[in-house]
Amino acid sequence: MLTLVADVHGRTIQFPLTDQYNEITVGALQDNIIHLPYQAVSRRHFSLVRNGKAWLLKDLGSTNGTRLNGSLVKESNIKANDVIHAGIVEFKIQELDPNELIIIPADKSGTSQSQKTEKVGDVAQNLQRSIFASTRLVFPPGLIPGKSQRMIEIYQRVDSLADSDVNVLLTGETGTGKEMLAHTLHLSGKRASGPFIAVNCAAIPSELLEAELFGVGEKVATDVGQRKGKIQLADQGTLFLDELEAFPIELQAKVLRAIEEKAVTRIGEHHLIPVDFRLISVMNENPSELIESGKLRQDLYHRLAAVEISIPALRERTEDIPLLLLGLLQQISKNKRKPVAGISKQLFSLLAAYSYPGNVREMMNLLSSMIAIAHPGEILDLHLAPGKLLQQGTNNTADIEMEFDERSLDLHKQLDELSRTLALRALNLHDWNLSAAAKALGISRFGLRKMMKRLGIPFDKKS
């Protein structure tokens, strides 16, 4: 596979010529596949057009012209070791080992890829067709369902609860995707055609929360008109209460009554208004600890948690991490309208080994920041990695004795040496049991096998 390698302001950027594009445009406008807002680069400077296995360079009427190996050209085939100049930017054409790159398709149709690269496709749709093909689950936009055993069990439970009206309490750390799971439960059941009303209890000032939930009657105060509360707006649908631990203790009795009677009384009124809703609530803290500390009424908890589902942290289902990384990269690139050609295996391994204390939300923020910094069309590589990724690797290996070649500043080489040392240490400690070694490293067994293959580590200790 050919790649354009540019040195821009001391930073090496790679743009692979993947077969998901028939034409790659280069220029100063943002909607080019490769966006180069640099001196003397025209709005549409040149393009590369796929012609079978070859690529044709075409000047697009640029002001200063396009040079190939020093000569101005209008059209010309390119090959490895050629040099293209567009304004102040110099591209070197190099061969790229496709085994060092994971392709990120530009859209759902972009599944035509090199046989030597890992195929991604549309992650969410592929999973729904394979793992969940026999269920009636409907996933909200943006959700990438995990394929780990724990997540499959959770979705099977959601499937069985979909048509019931039983109250469900979702627990787990922040950022694990509890609202997405609640939305899945809503969309998959008999109330799917009704509203899904989400209330973040922590985001509403306590003095306004009662009015937000129960509504306001007529003539309660000057210039205040009658309005429905969130509970009434959820009629015939689902009410989703997020961060319930922030709910004031003095209002919990009124919430309990609304749940039991399926009715509300607006502020300033005295008559009950019937409301037919299904309640799904979320807590980021341990309910038992909240009850013990007096922050949660025990009778309210029992009403909320007719069924309780605990969503595991990302570090507890590491086999989902590679899938989420690929799917989120594809989604973010599409939503931001910023094409990303792929991600290097080195950066992907670093991301897959990270602990993600902020869970899926932290992963999304981390990937979004890298895509924001990256040039459109480039390969995401180690130069884009936030410091905390590299810092975690340093902290986790402080007690490992290693002999680095101090003359070499090749980060890829040094990381490979570090990865090899860590992998061999874990394998030896666990008598070459791949599952146990992978768990010790904080990665999946599949991830360890891929690492061993890349680094030339035999799968059998005797070999």
Side-chain angles (χ1 to χ4, degrees):
M1 178 190 297
L2 294 179
T3 183
L4 298 177
V5 181
D7 189 344
V8 179
H9 300 316
R11 172 180 155 194
T12 300
I13 308 172
Q14 293 190 72
F15 303 96
L17 306 185
T18 65
D19 59 6
Q20 64 173 312
Y21 296 112
N22 287 320
E23 182 177 16
I24 298 174
T25 57
V26 180
L29 288 179
Q30 288 189 355
D31 61 352
N32 287 290
I33 301 300
I34 298 177
H35 174 217
L36 297 175
Y38 299 112
Q39 183 180 355
V41 176
S42 296
R43 293 155 59 89
R44 305 277 184 202
H45 203 105
F46 70 85
S47 70
L48 294 166
V49 181
R50 187 154 55 92
N51 182 18
K53 294 183 178 181
W55 288 88
L56 180 67
L57 170 67
K58 285 187 175 183
D59 181 75
L60 299 178
S62 61
T63 302
N64 297 302
T66 300
R67 294 182 180 272
L68 178 63
N69 300 323
S71 301
L72 287 171
V73 295
K74 293 297 183 184
E75 284 190 12
S76 179
N77 285 323
I78 61 170
K79 62 184 184 302
N81 300 319
D82 281 346
V83 177
I84 300 172
H85 279 94
I88 66 169
V89 183
E90 176 184 277
F91 292 99
K92 295 179 181 178
I93 312 298
Q94 296 181 359
E95 287 283 357
L96 174 68
D97 183 356
N99 292 312
E100 294 302 313
L101 172 68
I102 301 175
I103 298 294
I104 305 297
D107 52 40
K108 292 182 180 180
S109 63
T111 55
S112 171
Q113 303 158 11
S114 169
Q115 294 181 352
K116 293 185 178 181
T117 58
E118 292 192 14
K119 295 185 178 181
V120 180
D122 189 283
V123 175
Q125 282 198 350
N126 289 344
L127 267 177
Q128 290 179 47
R129 284 194 296 266
S130 57
I131 299 174
F132 305 108
S134 61
T135 75
R136 58 191 166 185
L137 289 181
V138 178
F139 297 103
L143 174 64
I144 300 171
K147 63 177 183 180
S148 63
Q149 186 59 39
R150 291 189 67 179
M151 291 308 299
I152 291 175
E153 290 171 358
I154 286 173
Y155 281 112
Q156 288 172 342
R157 198 170 187 190
V158 168
D159 187 38
S160 66
L161 293 169
D163 280 337
S164 75
D165 282 327
V166 65
N167 294 334
V168 177
L169 174 65
L170 305 176
T171 61
E173 295 179 6
T174 182
T176 50
K178 295 183 287 294
E179 183 169 355
M180 281 291 197
L181 186 66
H183 211 166
T184 300
L185 183 54
H186 169 75
L187 293 174
S188 303
K190 61 184 180 181
R191 295 179 178 271
S193 59
F196 180 84
I197 305 297
V199 182
N200 188 328
C201 301
I204 303 173
S206 57
E207 63 271 18
L208 301 178
L209 189 54
E210 183 176 5
E212 282 291 313
L213 282 176
F214 298 97
V216 178
E218 291 187 31
K219 301 178 181 179
V220 170
T222 305
D223 297 328
V224 176
Q226 185 186 72
R227 61 183 174 87
K228 295 180 179 179
K230 299 292 188 183
I231 296 177
Q232 193 176 355
L233 290 173
D235 189 43
Q236 304 300 313
T238 299
L239 176 67
F240 175 70
L241 298 181
D242 194 8
E243 296 194 63
L244 202 61
E245 60 267 31
F247 203 92
I249 191 71
E250 59 271 16
L251 284 181
Q252 292 185 19
K254 193 169 182 179
V255 173
L256 177 62
R257 183 182 176 191
I259 295 171
E260 290 177 336
E261 297 181 348
K262 292 289 184 180
V264 296
T265 302
R266 294 174 182 155
I267 294 176
E269 295 181 347
H270 302 286
H271 61 279
L272 289 173
I273 302 172
V275 186
D276 179 18
F277 65 94
R278 199 245 183 96
L279 178 64
I280 304 175
S281 49
V282 158
M283 291 183 190
N284 294 329
E285 299 181 28
N286 187 305
S288 299
E289 294 177 1
L290 291 171
I291 293 171
E292 186 176 345
S293 64
K295 295 180 180 179
L296 177 67
R297 290 175 58 119
Q298 190 167 28
D299 51 359
L300 177 60
Y301 166 70
H302 290 310
R303 279 293 183 181
L304 297 173
V307 174
E308 186 172 341
I309 300 176
S310 178
I311 304 178
L314 203 49
R315 63 182 176 275
E316 297 170 359
R317 52 184 183 105
T318 54
E319 57 267 52
D320 286 336
I321 290 179
L323 180 74
L324 287 167
L325 286 170
L326 295 175
L328 289 174
L329 279 170
Q330 185 188 40
Q331 281 186 9
I332 295 168
S333 173
K334 181 180 178 181
N335 293 340
K336 300 293 184 183
R337 297 183 179 180
K338 191 170 187 180
V340 175
I343 180 170
S344 72
K345 291 291 184 69
Q346 290 89 348
L347 177 57
F348 188 80
S349 296
L350 201 62
L351 287 165
Y354 182 58
S355 61
Y356 296 100
N359 295 296
V360 180
R361 184 179 295 124
E362 182 182 13
M363 181 184 287
M364 290 183 65
N365 292 337
L366 193 154
L367 296 177
S368 295
S369 67
M370 290 195 297
I371 289 176
I373 296 170
H375 279 69
E378 80 163 293
I379 298 172
L380 300 182
D381 209 345
L382 293 169
H383 63 275
L384 298 170
K388 63 183 178 182
L389 288 182
L390 300 172
Q391 184 63 39
Q392 175 169 275
T394 302
N395 292 340
N396 290 345
T397 58
D399 61 340
I400 295 178
E401 297 179 3
M402 300 189 63
E403 293 184 3
F404 285 109
D405 181 358
E406 295 182 358
R407 295 169 298 176
S408 174
L409 296 178
D410 187 325
L411 184 58
H412 292 189
K413 180 180 178 181
Q414 300 285 28
L415 283 174
D416 280 349
E417 290 178 5
L418 177 59
S419 299
R420 183 180 180 84
T421 300
L422 283 168
L424 288 171
R425 175 67 63 86
L427 288 164
N428 286 323
L429 284 173
H430 295 280
D431 198 27
W432 231 251
N433 182 304
L434 297 190
S435 297
K439 185 176 181 180
L441 290 166
I443 62 177
S444 67
R445 189 175 189 274
F446 173 77
L448 177 58
R449 288 183 63 88
K450 295 286 287 184
M451 181 191 296
M452 293 170 68
K453 183 177 179 181
R454 180 171 62 83
L455 298 175
I457 301 174
F459 294 114
D460 190 340
K461 185 177 182 179
K462 298 177 180 179
S463 59

